[in-house]
Amino acid sequence: MAGRASDRHPTHPHLEPAPTGHPAYTETLPCTPDSAPAARRLIRQALGAWALDGLADDACLVAGEMVANACRHTRSPVIRVSVTRLDGTRVEIAVTDRSRVLPARKTAAPDALHGRGLLLVDAVAARWGAVPQRWGKRVWAEVRAA
């Protein structure tokens, strides 16, 4: 899909294939809660292209929680969402932002409206983690077929 950013359809993410390594798609999005649907569309399109549609619900839940965490806990103007096919049964979802503060699981109060995102990621993902970068961090989670 070539063209200027202004030529892109608002409901179809601009998929950027990774130049080397595992097949991957990425998209840079504003660091706002409104970016969660775009992240989920990116995930669904990539998984459909790889015939891994069965991972879409779990992968989209993970992506939505990671986008929400980045928006809530960083002052980064943009985030980078990526989905990478590791093999025929596993994908990695990642959100990169410009904050160096690594995520940490917390115990939320029973009546709290927030604070369970990483618990959900931990429950759905096979594994997850965060990698500090010189300019921020990359939070990733691996989703596998059952």
Side-chain angles (χ1 to χ4, degrees), residues 22-25 50 82-86 90-93 138:
H22 294 289
Y25 291 97
W50 299 328
S82 66
V83 55
T84 305
R85 185 179 71 197
L86 302 175
R90 300 177 307 138
V91 296
E92 179 188 87
I93 309 301
R138 181 176 183 272

Side-chain angles (χ1 to χ4, degrees), residues 69 73-74 97-104 106 130-133 135-139:
N69 280 349
H73 299 293
T74 73
D97 62 53
R98 293 185 184 159
S99 170
R100 291 185 180 168
V101 178
L102 298 179
K106 301 174 191 170
V131 180
Q133 306 286 330
W135 40 261
K137 70 176 168 300
R138 181 176 183 272
V139 181

Side-chain angles (χ1 to χ4, degrees), residues 27-36 38-39 67 70-71 74 76-81 95-96:
E27 187 170 6
T28 300
L29 300 167
C31 190
T32 67
D34 293 339
S35 290
V67 167
C71 294
T74 73
S76 187
V78 296
I79 55 174
R80 185 103 171 139
V81 177
V95 174
T96 304

